[in-house]
Tab-separated table of all heavy atoms in Angstrom:
chain	number	residue	atom	x	y	z
A	4	GLN	N	36.423	-18.500	9.281
A	4	GLN	CA	34.977	-18.512	9.494
A	4	GLN	C	34.306	-17.736	8.357
A	4	GLN	O	34.728	-16.626	8.034
A	4	GLN	CB	34.599	-17.948	10.837
A	4	GLN	CG	35.102	-18.809	11.984
A	4	GLN	CD	34.608	-18.273	13.323
A	4	GLN	OE1	33.841	-17.351	13.376
A	4	GLN	NE2	35.045	-18.912	14.387
A	5	VAL	N	33.257	-18.294	7.822
A	5	VAL	CA	32.491	-17.622	6.779
A	5	VAL	C	31.258	-16.993	7.440
A	5	VAL	O	30.570	-17.656	8.185
A	5	VAL	CB	32.053	-18.636	5.715
A	5	VAL	CG1	31.214	-17.979	4.634
A	5	VAL	CG2	33.259	-19.346	5.114
A	6	PRO	N	31.034	-15.692	7.188
A	6	PRO	CA	29.848	-15.055	7.820
A	6	PRO	C	28.568	-15.705	7.344
A	6	PRO	O	28.446	-16.122	6.192
A	6	PRO	CB	29.947	-13.593	7.385
A	6	PRO	CG	30.874	-13.585	6.233
A	6	PRO	CD	31.748	-14.785	6.327
A	7	GLU	N	27.602	-15.795	8.242
A	7	GLU	CA	26.316	-16.373	7.909
A	7	GLU	C	25.526	-15.413	7.045
A	7	GLU	O	25.710	-14.203	7.111
A	7	GLU	CB	25.518	-16.674	9.190
A	7	GLU	CG	26.136	-17.755	10.038
A	7	GLU	CD	25.283	-18.067	11.250
A	7	GLU	OE1	24.049	-17.829	11.189
A	7	GLU	OE2	25.822	-18.520	12.246
A	8	LYS	N	24.645	-15.967	6.258
A	8	LYS	CA	23.799	-15.170	5.399
A	8	LYS	C	22.854	-14.335	6.250
A	8	LYS	O	22.234	-14.861	7.160
A	8	LYS	CB	23.011	-16.071	4.453
A	8	LYS	CG	22.359	-15.377	3.323
A	8	LYS	CD	21.724	-16.359	2.376
A	8	LYS	CE	21.156	-15.656	1.165
A	8	LYS	NZ	20.557	-16.594	0.254
A	9	ARG	N	22.743	-13.033	5.952
A	9	ARG	CA	21.893	-12.163	6.739
A	9	ARG	C	20.435	-12.431	6.436
A	9	ARG	O	20.060	-12.656	5.295
A	9	ARG	CB	22.190	-10.698	6.431
A	9	ARG	CG	23.500	-10.253	6.924
A	9	ARG	CD	23.657	-8.786	6.693
A	9	ARG	NE	24.939	-8.315	7.177
A	9	ARG	CZ	25.324	-7.067	7.149
A	9	ARG	NH1	24.544	-6.167	6.677
A	9	ARG	NH2	26.510	-6.730	7.598
A	10	LYS	N	19.645	-12.388	7.458
A	10	LYS	CA	18.210	-12.553	7.300
A	10	LYS	C	17.578	-11.170	7.239
A	10	LYS	O	18.049	-10.231	7.843
A	10	LYS	CB	17.595	-13.348	8.470
A	10	LYS	CG	18.058	-14.794	8.481
A	10	LYS	CD	17.355	-15.543	9.573
A	10	LYS	CE	17.792	-16.998	9.568
A	10	LYS	NZ	17.126	-17.758	10.592
A	11	SER	N	16.493	-11.074	6.514
A	11	SER	CA	15.776	-9.816	6.390
A	11	SER	C	15.138	-9.454	7.719
A	11	SER	O	14.595	-10.314	8.417
A	11	SER	CB	14.670	-9.944	5.313
A	11	SER	OG	13.933	-8.772	5.256
A	12	LYS	N	15.211	-8.183	8.076
A	12	LYS	CA	14.623	-7.737	9.330
A	12	LYS	C	13.129	-7.447	9.189
A	12	LYS	O	12.443	-7.327	10.189
A	12	LYS	CB	15.327	-6.461	9.805
A	12	LYS	CG	16.781	-6.702	10.231
A	12	LYS	CD	17.417	-5.477	10.756
A	12	LYS	CE	18.827	-5.763	11.174
A	12	LYS	NZ	19.482	-4.583	11.729
A	13	VAL	N	12.641	-7.340	7.968
A	13	VAL	CA	11.220	-7.062	7.723
A	13	VAL	C	10.529	-8.363	7.332
A	13	VAL	O	10.895	-8.989	6.344
A	13	VAL	CB	11.058	-6.024	6.586
A	13	VAL	CG1	9.579	-5.786	6.310
A	13	VAL	CG2	11.757	-4.742	6.935
A	14	PRO	N	9.531	-8.772	8.113
A	14	PRO	CA	8.803	-10.009	7.737
A	14	PRO	C	8.008	-9.802	6.446
A	14	PRO	O	7.374	-8.749	6.273
A	14	PRO	CB	7.889	-10.247	8.933
A	14	PRO	CG	8.117	-9.174	9.895
A	14	PRO	CD	9.075	-8.204	9.355
A	15	TRP	N	8.042	-10.768	5.579
A	15	TRP	CA	7.361	-10.654	4.302
A	15	TRP	C	5.839	-10.487	4.465
A	15	TRP	O	5.206	-9.780	3.685
A	15	TRP	CB	7.661	-11.860	3.407
A	15	TRP	CG	9.046	-11.772	2.842
A	15	TRP	CD1	10.155	-12.438	3.263
A	15	TRP	CD2	9.477	-10.923	1.790
A	15	TRP	NE1	11.256	-12.059	2.540
A	15	TRP	CE2	10.862	-11.144	1.607
A	15	TRP	CE3	8.846	-10.009	0.963
A	15	TRP	CZ2	11.610	-10.497	0.639
A	15	TRP	CZ3	9.603	-9.349	-0.018
A	15	TRP	CH2	10.939	-9.579	-0.142
A	16	ASP	N	5.243	-11.176	5.428
A	16	ASP	CA	3.804	-11.087	5.588
A	16	ASP	C	3.377	-9.655	5.960
A	16	ASP	O	2.374	-9.145	5.488
A	16	ASP	CB	3.269	-12.085	6.608
A	16	ASP	CG	3.954	-11.969	7.970
A	16	ASP	OD1	4.993	-11.306	8.070
A	16	ASP	OD2	3.419	-12.559	8.925
A	17	ARG	N	4.186	-8.964	6.764
A	17	ARG	CA	3.888	-7.587	7.111
A	17	ARG	C	4.036	-6.681	5.887
A	17	ARG	O	3.222	-5.805	5.649
A	17	ARG	CB	4.797	-7.106	8.236
A	17	ARG	CG	4.476	-5.659	8.612
A	17	ARG	CD	5.280	-5.190	9.796
A	17	ARG	NE	4.811	-5.915	10.977
A	17	ARG	CZ	5.363	-5.811	12.183
A	17	ARG	NH1	6.375	-5.027	12.349
A	17	ARG	NH2	4.865	-6.480	13.205
A	18	LEU	N	5.092	-6.906	5.107
A	18	LEU	CA	5.338	-6.105	3.938
A	18	LEU	C	4.189	-6.262	2.917
A	18	LEU	O	3.682	-5.281	2.395
A	18	LEU	CB	6.664	-6.517	3.290
A	18	LEU	CG	7.089	-5.773	2.039
A	18	LEU	CD1	7.409	-4.313	2.413
A	18	LEU	CD2	8.310	-6.411	1.404
A	19	ILE	N	3.747	-7.469	2.698
A	19	ILE	CA	2.635	-7.726	1.763
A	19	ILE	C	1.342	-7.135	2.345
A	19	ILE	O	0.541	-6.544	1.602
A	19	ILE	CB	2.504	-9.242	1.484
A	19	ILE	CG1	3.703	-9.687	0.669
A	19	ILE	CG2	1.207	-9.537	0.754
A	19	ILE	CD1	3.806	-11.175	0.489
A	20	GLY	N	1.139	-7.235	3.647
A	20	GLY	CA	-0.057	-6.686	4.279
A	20	GLY	C	-0.131	-5.167	4.121
A	20	GLY	O	-1.177	-4.616	3.776
A	21	VAL	N	0.992	-4.482	4.333
A	21	VAL	CA	1.028	-3.035	4.194
A	21	VAL	C	0.790	-2.627	2.740
A	21	VAL	O	0.055	-1.698	2.454
A	21	VAL	CB	2.353	-2.460	4.727
A	21	VAL	CG1	2.535	-1.007	4.370
A	21	VAL	CG2	2.429	-2.665	6.239
A	22	ALA	N	1.372	-3.375	1.805
A	22	ALA	CA	1.179	-3.075	0.395
A	22	ALA	C	-0.288	-3.267	-0.025
A	22	ALA	O	-0.832	-2.435	-0.741
A	22	ALA	CB	2.075	-3.977	-0.469
A	23	LEU	N	-0.923	-4.320	0.459
A	23	LEU	CA	-2.336	-4.547	0.156
A	23	LEU	C	-3.199	-3.494	0.763
A	23	LEU	O	-4.173	-3.007	0.140
A	23	LEU	CB	-2.768	-5.946	0.612
A	23	LEU	CG	-2.254	-7.108	-0.228
A	23	LEU	CD1	-2.655	-8.428	0.436
A	23	LEU	CD2	-2.811	-7.046	-1.637
A	24	LEU	N	-2.915	-3.110	1.987
A	24	LEU	CA	-3.669	-2.066	2.652
A	24	LEU	C	-3.560	-0.742	1.896
A	24	LEU	O	-4.553	-0.052	1.702
A	24	LEU	CB	-3.188	-1.900	4.088
A	24	LEU	CG	-3.965	-0.947	4.973
A	24	LEU	CD1	-5.400	-1.435	5.150
A	24	LEU	CD2	-3.292	-0.836	6.330
A	25	GLY	N	-2.374	-0.402	1.445
A	25	GLY	CA	-2.164	0.795	0.668
A	25	GLY	C	-2.925	0.760	-0.644
A	25	GLY	O	-3.534	1.737	-1.072
A	26	ALA	N	-2.896	-0.388	-1.327
A	26	ALA	CA	-3.580	-0.530	-2.612
A	26	ALA	C	-5.117	-0.424	-2.401
A	26	ALA	O	-5.813	0.254	-3.207
A	26	ALA	CB	-3.229	-1.851	-3.264
A	27	LEU	N	-5.649	-1.067	-1.385
A	27	LEU	CA	-7.062	-0.994	-1.142
A	27	LEU	C	-7.511	0.411	-0.721
A	27	LEU	O	-8.553	0.895	-1.177
A	27	LEU	CB	-7.464	-1.996	-0.048
A	27	LEU	CG	-7.419	-3.462	-0.464
A	27	LEU	CD1	-7.659	-4.359	0.737
A	27	LEU	CD2	-8.387	-3.765	-1.583
A	28	GLY	N	-6.686	1.083	0.073
A	28	GLY	CA	-7.003	2.461	0.464
A	28	GLY	C	-6.994	3.388	-0.751
A	28	GLY	O	-7.901	4.238	-0.880
A	29	SER	N	-6.043	3.223	-1.624
A	29	SER	CA	-5.973	4.052	-2.826
A	29	SER	C	-7.195	3.785	-3.723
A	29	SER	O	-7.742	4.728	-4.299
A	29	SER	CB	-4.681	3.750	-3.583
A	29	SER	OG	-3.573	4.111	-2.828
A	30	ALA	N	-7.559	2.532	-3.881
A	30	ALA	CA	-8.720	2.203	-4.696
A	30	ALA	C	-10.004	2.791	-4.120
A	30	ALA	O	-10.856	3.327	-4.853
A	30	ALA	CB	-8.869	0.685	-4.835
A	31	LEU	N	-10.145	2.786	-2.806
A	31	LEU	CA	-11.311	3.358	-2.149
A	31	LEU	C	-11.364	4.865	-2.369
A	31	LEU	O	-12.428	5.428	-2.698
A	31	LEU	CB	-11.309	3.036	-0.648
A	31	LEU	CG	-12.440	3.638	0.179
A	31	LEU	CD1	-13.771	3.032	-0.273
A	31	LEU	CD2	-12.202	3.404	1.634
A	32	ILE	N	-10.229	5.517	-2.174
A	32	ILE	CA	-10.174	6.980	-2.384
A	32	ILE	C	-10.493	7.324	-3.835
A	32	ILE	O	-11.251	8.276	-4.108
A	32	ILE	CB	-8.800	7.544	-1.971
A	32	ILE	CG1	-8.657	7.452	-0.460
A	32	ILE	CG2	-8.612	8.968	-2.419
A	32	ILE	CD1	-7.284	7.747	0.062
A	33	TYR	N	-9.967	6.550	-4.771
A	33	TYR	CA	-10.262	6.793	-6.201
A	33	TYR	C	-11.750	6.630	-6.474
A	33	TYR	O	-12.370	7.421	-7.176
A	33	TYR	CB	-9.443	5.853	-7.054
A	33	TYR	CG	-9.716	5.975	-8.515
A	33	TYR	CD1	-9.220	7.058	-9.256
A	33	TYR	CD2	-10.490	5.026	-9.197
A	33	TYR	CE1	-9.493	7.190	-10.594
A	33	TYR	CE2	-10.752	5.157	-10.547
A	33	TYR	CZ	-10.251	6.248	-11.246
A	33	TYR	OH	-10.522	6.370	-12.571
A	34	TYR	N	-12.365	5.576	-5.887
A	34	TYR	CA	-13.761	5.326	-6.115
A	34	TYR	C	-14.612	6.486	-5.587
A	34	TYR	O	-15.543	6.963	-6.239
A	34	TYR	CB	-14.199	4.018	-5.450
A	34	TYR	CG	-15.660	3.732	-5.558
A	34	TYR	CD1	-16.217	3.311	-6.749
A	34	TYR	CD2	-16.514	3.919	-4.456
A	34	TYR	CE1	-17.574	3.059	-6.844
A	34	TYR	CE2	-17.850	3.695	-4.552
A	34	TYR	CZ	-18.399	3.243	-5.725
A	34	TYR	OH	-19.735	3.016	-5.832
A	35	VAL	N	-14.295	6.958	-4.401
A	35	VAL	CA	-15.042	8.076	-3.806
A	35	VAL	C	-14.861	9.337	-4.635
A	35	VAL	O	-15.806	10.078	-4.880
A	35	VAL	CB	-14.580	8.303	-2.321
A	35	VAL	CG1	-15.167	9.606	-1.773
A	35	VAL	CG2	-15.016	7.130	-1.458
A	36	PHE	N	-13.624	9.584	-5.111
A	36	PHE	CA	-13.350	10.759	-5.920
A	36	PHE	C	-14.167	10.763	-7.222
A	36	PHE	O	-14.694	11.766	-7.654
A	36	PHE	CB	-11.850	10.853	-6.223
A	36	PHE	CG	-11.458	12.056	-7.026
A	36	PHE	CD1	-11.422	13.314	-6.439
A	36	PHE	CD2	-11.178	11.950	-8.367
A	36	PHE	CE1	-11.089	14.416	-7.182
A	36	PHE	CE2	-10.813	13.036	-9.122
A	36	PHE	CZ	-10.776	14.304	-8.532
A	37	ILE	N	-14.256	9.594	-7.855
A	37	ILE	CA	-15.004	9.462	-9.100
A	37	ILE	C	-16.501	9.748	-8.884
A	37	ILE	O	-17.162	10.288	-9.798
A	37	ILE	CB	-14.793	8.031	-9.683
A	37	ILE	CG1	-13.361	7.858	-10.114
A	37	ILE	CG2	-15.706	7.784	-10.886
A	37	ILE	CD1	-12.860	8.829	-11.162
A	38	GLN	N	-17.013	9.479	-7.738
A	38	GLN	CA	-18.436	9.691	-7.454
A	38	GLN	C	-18.795	11.158	-7.249
A	38	GLN	O	-19.975	11.515	-7.293
A	38	GLN	CB	-18.867	8.886	-6.213
A	38	GLN	CG	-18.631	7.390	-6.314
A	38	GLN	CD	-19.357	6.779	-7.483
A	38	GLN	OE1	-20.491	7.100	-7.745
A	38	GLN	NE2	-18.671	5.899	-8.198
A	39	LEU	N	-17.790	12.025	-7.020
A	39	LEU	CA	-18.067	13.433	-6.783
A	39	LEU	C	-18.521	14.123	-8.061
A	39	LEU	O	-18.145	13.713	-9.155
A	39	LEU	CB	-16.813	14.137	-6.239
A	39	LEU	CG	-16.260	13.644	-4.911
A	39	LEU	CD1	-14.961	14.371	-4.625
A	39	LEU	CD2	-17.271	13.885	-3.807
A	40	ASP	N	-19.280	15.224	-7.907
A	40	ASP	CA	-19.636	16.008	-9.080
A	40	ASP	C	-18.443	16.876	-9.462
A	40	ASP	O	-17.469	17.006	-8.753
A	40	ASP	CB	-20.879	16.849	-8.816
A	40	ASP	CG	-20.739	17.830	-7.684
A	40	ASP	OD1	-19.690	17.862	-7.052
A	40	ASP	OD2	-21.699	18.599	-7.423
A	41	ASP	N	-18.527	17.483	-10.635
A	41	ASP	CA	-17.380	18.198	-11.232
A	41	ASP	C	-16.894	19.347	-10.340
A	41	ASP	O	-15.693	19.580	-10.221
A	41	ASP	CB	-17.727	18.711	-12.616
A	41	ASP	CG	-17.869	17.579	-13.630
A	41	ASP	OD1	-17.283	16.509	-13.364
A	41	ASP	OD2	-18.538	17.789	-14.663
A	42	GLU	N	-17.832	20.077	-9.703
A	42	GLU	CA	-17.460	21.204	-8.894
A	42	GLU	C	-16.641	20.771	-7.677
A	42	GLU	O	-15.622	21.359	-7.321
A	42	GLU	CB	-18.708	21.969	-8.451
A	42	GLU	CG	-18.428	23.244	-7.681
A	42	GLU	CD	-19.703	23.946	-7.267
A	42	GLU	OE1	-20.619	24.057	-8.079
A	42	GLU	OE2	-19.747	24.399	-6.109
A	43	LYS	N	-17.120	19.691	-7.037
A	43	LYS	CA	-16.414	19.174	-5.841
A	43	LYS	C	-15.060	18.581	-6.221
A	43	LYS	O	-14.062	18.678	-5.484
A	43	LYS	CB	-17.260	18.164	-5.102
A	43	LYS	CG	-18.409	18.819	-4.347
A	43	LYS	CD	-19.117	17.841	-3.471
A	43	LYS	CE	-20.240	18.545	-2.716
A	43	LYS	NZ	-20.938	17.660	-1.796
A	44	LYS	N	-14.995	17.933	-7.415
A	44	LYS	CA	-13.717	17.367	-7.875
A	44	LYS	C	-12.697	18.482	-8.016
A	44	LYS	O	-11.534	18.336	-7.637
A	44	LYS	CB	-13.895	16.658	-9.216
A	44	LYS	CG	-14.445	15.293	-9.156
A	44	LYS	CD	-14.471	14.689	-10.548
A	44	LYS	CE	-15.195	13.377	-10.560
A	44	LYS	NZ	-15.247	12.797	-11.894
A	45	GLU	N	-13.115	19.585	-8.604
A	45	GLU	CA	-12.217	20.721	-8.809
A	45	GLU	C	-11.700	21.284	-7.467
A	45	GLU	O	-10.527	21.591	-7.301
A	45	GLU	CB	-12.901	21.824	-9.617
A	45	GLU	CG	-11.950	22.834	-10.229
A	45	GLU	CD	-10.962	22.176	-11.184
A	45	GLU	OE1	-11.319	21.273	-11.940
A	45	GLU	OE2	-9.785	22.627	-11.144
């Protein structure tokens, strides 16, 4: 008997969704940070 090919336990749509959510969250934080004045940035 030849073992069957293993299937991934993580669904690709969830993986892509989490990656997009992380990228959008990072972009939002960066945008807010850029809007701060120099004293608050420091």
